[in-house]
Amino acid sequence: MGAVQLTLGLIAVAVSLVAWSMWVRTIMRMVSIVRLGQPDATRNGPFIPRMKTLVTEFAAHTRMNKFRHVGFWHWLVMWGFLIGSAALFEAYGEVFVPTWGWPILDHINLWHLLMELLGLGTIAGGVALAIIRQRNHPRRADRQSRFQGSNFWQAYFVEAVVIFEGIGILGVRASKAALGAHELPLWAAFVSNPLGEILPASENLVSVLAFVKLMGAMLWVYVVAKYMTMGVAWHRFSAFFNIYFKREADGGVALGALKPMMSGGKVLDLEEADPEVDAFGAGKVEDFSWKGWLDFTTCTECGRCQSQCPAWNTGKPLSPKLLITQLRDHAYAKAPYLLAGGKKDMAGEEIGLTGDNPHAGIDVLALAEAERPLIGGVDELGVIDPEVLWSCTTCGACVEQCPVDIEHVDHIVDMRRYQVLIESNFPSELGGMFKNLENKGNPWGQNAKDRLAWTEDLDFEVPVFDGELAADTEYLFWVGCAGAFEDRAKKTTRAVAELLHQAEVKYVVLGSEETCTGDPARRAGNEFLFQMLAQQNVEVINSVFEGREAGKRKVVVTCAHCFNTLANEYPQLGGKYEVVHHTQLLNKLVRERRLVPVAPVAEDITYHDPCYLGRHNQVYDAPRELVGASGATLREMPRHADRAMCCGAGGARMWMEERIGKRINVERVDEALGTAPSKIATGCPFCRVMLTDGLTARQSDGIASENVEVVDVAQLLLTAVKRGKEPLDTPTDEVGTGTPLPDEDKAPTAGN
């Protein structure tokens, strides 16, 4: 050990002690900050399924590979970071003793081959990711760039260090090869051996290169320790925990059922809850669970969620990425105040800090942050603007695409819950919808006695539940509010009823006993109204199936939103049924040849995936197989299946006006028209209304042919099953029916 080795070694150790101590201190502070969130014991187990999900997602990069052009390069960088850390810590020995290597491993040729591959892979991955970021830079694509709003210096810093460390791995190995430290076959050192031929044999060179590699790494450790909100770096550690603690233990994404409203780690009982004590959704950042805080911490700002968001892509202010990063920045800025015991009551009065000088020792910036409302406009210095909060359609595209399992939709609905239940602050159009749900049991304000009006044109009798379920009745046909009252949706209901009749499927409908499932109320944040409607429905449905074993409580629905609520959310309230969507049941009947298409629909059809059927419940094949069975030719839109764009109706947006940007339904119709279809098919009445309105707008503009129409998949099948082609659709009177809304609550059309 010479003077160079001793000097560089001591400097490396000293710098490392400072950097690593800062890193450990930051980790400890980060953990204490994340724990400021509400408790949530539902994330604790079971261990084996959660660990299996974790290993699968990080080792195989299953979620990252949803963007395949990025996934492979990130996979190389990830393994370079994890296993390449061995080369980093090896440098501590090499800077003192240039020929030093890991015991045992240093004598295995395959280990050296792995190090060569990791060095090359890290360089290639880092360069590729930097190029991808440049090619998608906002200066080129503006809002269309998924990196719009992301922190660029942090990303470039991380990518630069990644490339630097990859070069360092190969540089140190090449200098050791020049020194003759190891006699390795060319296949195990195919980069470092040739490089070693042109380098001088110098122990000092090895020590210097090892030192430089260490200093690059320590610079990274120092910077990361200094910036706790640097998600592009911290996700390398927090992502493992965020994936393990994801909402669904079986590995599914946080879609389908919404997270129940919780407070103090328990599901909130609204009849006994006290708003002075309990968290009604999220009115302050500390009302989010600790998993929410971990979500905020883990966001990498990759912008995949943003690239898929229908609101962002139509010029609205909502970006799921920016919403999460704004919550993150606010949470960490407010954390010193919360850690000191700060707390305010509902009136905004300080109740946590007491004494003569309660703010002593607390950063003034943290105190200022504590005064900001979670939801508020620019003039109120709000963290999240109301236009951002209410632009969400809860389509789940953000959750589906997030590579680190952030649960955007749950967080958005939690904030809506507080605004509705505590602040009574929500878009005016929702007031009329809430009133109609509460007084009439449906969003349109129709009378319950009219729920069977759709049966009047049928040439067979629709069986209505009369208090006793016949032994041979297989299904309860849940018609839904749209299927019963909305003129366009009624056609789907009649088509399904006729197909079930032809297939001799025994079913009943509830008629006037049916009421809204509560989906629009829940997605709008009115949890109290949802609970009221849902409990009423569960009681009715349970009475229908009274005496039947669990496997024979079957419900078929035509509305994707009803399907999701009945299947995924009613079990939370004691309503456990076997729920199928009408496309699934009809597809089964076709396969069993109980329905036989005899008059093929020889037309070009494009299919729109309803979000609550597709992304939320993974039903993609059945509707497409029905399109094929009907004899039509399917033309897929560029955005389809799990990347399908929303129609704009979800999240109670069906009853809210779009005042900013391009209408989402028009954007989706434009994409559909790009496939040159004769018809646009879907499997949800909400989607049908929105797409029809968008198509009508484009026909009025002269962009779309008057012959193009929007139909349900069931109508296609009915035409194919019947002998002789019948018109799928006829013009309908689009004048709204039902209880009129006050002028201030009106939107121009029900579908907008």
Side-chain angles (χ1 to χ4, degrees), residues 155-214:
Y156 286 138
F157 170 76
V158 169
E159 288 159 357
V161 172
V162 164
I163 297 168
F164 183 84
E165 290 303 303
I167 294 173
I169 290 173
L170 296 178
V172 172
R173 291 181 57 78
S175 62
K176 291 176 75 173
L179 191 61
H182 306 103
E183 294 295 332
L184 297 174
L186 182 61
W187 64 265
F190 60 92
V191 176
S192 54
N193 273 2
L195 286 177
E197 295 292 333
I198 59 176
L199 292 178
S202 168
E203 290 188 347
N204 290 346
L205 179 62
V206 175
S207 295
V208 168
L209 291 178
F211 175 80
V212 171
K213 183 173 74 171
L214 274 174

Side-chain angles (χ1 to χ4, degrees), residues 39-46 50 245-247 249 259 262 265 267:
D40 185 356
T42 64
R43 313 284 180 155
N44 293 340
R50 288 185 177 277
F245 290 116
K246 66 192 298 184
R247 193 183 78 183
K259 184 189 73 171
M262 302 178 70
V267 175

Side-chain angles (χ1 to χ4, degrees), residues 437 441-446 450-454 477-494 514-517 519-520 558-562 649 654-655 683-690 712 737 750:
L437 286 175
N442 66 85
W444 281 273
Q446 285 275 29
D450 296 327
R451 278 190 176 269
L452 288 174
W454 63 271
F477 180 10
W478 186 271
V479 176
C481 300
F485 298 127
E486 210 284 324
D487 286 337
R488 289 160 285 192
K490 285 181 185 178
K491 293 173 182 158
T492 300
T493 308
R494 285 194 287 268
E514 187 177 301
T515 191
C516 180
T517 60
D519 164 83
T558 59
C559 175
H561 297 260
C562 295
M654 176 90 162
W655 290 273
C684 172
F686 284 18
C687 295
R688 180 171 183 175
V689 168
M690 297 298 283
D712 189 274
T737 57

Side-chain angles (χ1 to χ4, degrees), residues 284-516:
K284 304 182 292 295
V285 73
E286 56 266 35
D287 290 337
F288 291 105
S289 73
W290 62 263
K291 175 55 169 63
W293 285 63
L294 187 59
D295 277 354
F296 309 155
T297 303
T298 306
C299 179
T300 71
E301 302 184 32
C302 68
R304 293 183 180 208
C305 57
Q306 180 173 288
S307 72
Q308 303 298 305
C309 178
W312 180 262
N313 282 311
T314 53
K316 307 200 174 38
L318 169 64
S319 159
K321 173 188 71 180
L322 297 180
L323 180 137
I324 293 296
T325 56
Q326 286 162 359
L327 289 172
R328 176 198 66 197
D329 293 345
H330 171 63
Y332 276 83
K334 187 178 180 180
Y337 164 80
L338 297 173
L339 289 170
K343 183 179 181 181
K344 298 181 186 296
D345 61 15
M346 291 185 64
E349 297 297 325
E350 181 61 51
I351 58 175
L353 301 175
T354 59
D356 295 333
N357 189 11
H359 297 155
I362 303 177
D363 191 330
V364 66
L365 295 178
L367 293 173
E369 199 72 27
E371 298 299 321
R372 297 179 67 192
L374 188 65
I375 307 298
V378 176
D379 55 334
E380 302 171 280
L381 299 179
V383 179
I384 303 297
D385 191 279
E387 289 289 355
V388 170
L389 181 65
W390 294 104
S391 291
C392 179
T393 67
T394 68
C395 71
C398 49
V399 179
E400 177 66 36
Q401 290 298 328
C402 182
V404 292
D405 289 302
I406 292 171
E407 299 160 8
H408 313 72
V409 173
D410 283 346
H411 303 323
I412 288 172
V413 173
D414 264 343
M415 288 186 283
R416 286 183 175 184
R417 284 166 170 165
Y418 187 87
Q419 293 301 301
V420 172
L421 298 175
I422 301 300
E423 299 288 345
S424 294
N425 187 7
F426 46 83
S428 60
E429 302 98 323
L430 291 181
M433 190 263 284
F434 290 154
K435 292 173 189 175
N436 285 337
L437 286 175
E438 187 171 356
N439 298 328
K440 296 289 188 177
N442 66 85
W444 281 273
Q446 285 275 29
N447 295 317
K449 63 182 179 61
D450 296 327
R451 278 190 176 269
L452 288 174
W454 63 271
T455 66
E456 294 171 359
D457 299 334
L458 298 174
D459 57 7
F460 59 91
E461 184 177 351
V462 174
V464 182
F465 179 68
D466 59 3
E468 186 174 345
L469 196 65
D472 63 346
T473 301
E474 189 175 2
Y475 289 96
L476 168 63
F477 180 10
W478 186 271
V479 176
C481 300
F485 298 127
E486 210 284 324
D487 286 337
R488 289 160 285 192
K490 285 181 185 178
K491 293 173 182 158
T492 300
T493 308
R494 285 194 287 268
V496 172
E498 190 165 349
L499 288 165
L500 295 180
H501 177 72
Q502 289 192 31
E504 299 183 349
V505 174
K506 302 297 182 181
Y507 68 93
V508 295
V509 298
L510 288 176
S512 61
E513 292 297 309
E514 187 177 301
T515 191
C516 180

Side-chain angles (χ1 to χ4, degrees), residues 606 665-680 691-710:
T606 191
N665 59 338
V666 173
E667 172 75 10
R668 186 55 167 167
V669 164
D670 286 345
E671 184 174 3
L673 293 175
T675 67
S678 58
K679 291 177 176 62
I680 303 170
L691 295 175
T692 300
D693 287 349
L695 179 61
T696 300
R698 283 311 190 212
Q699 288 171 335
S700 299
D701 295 339
I703 296 175
S705 167
E706 294 294 331
N707 296 323
V708 181
E709 58 183 337
V710 180

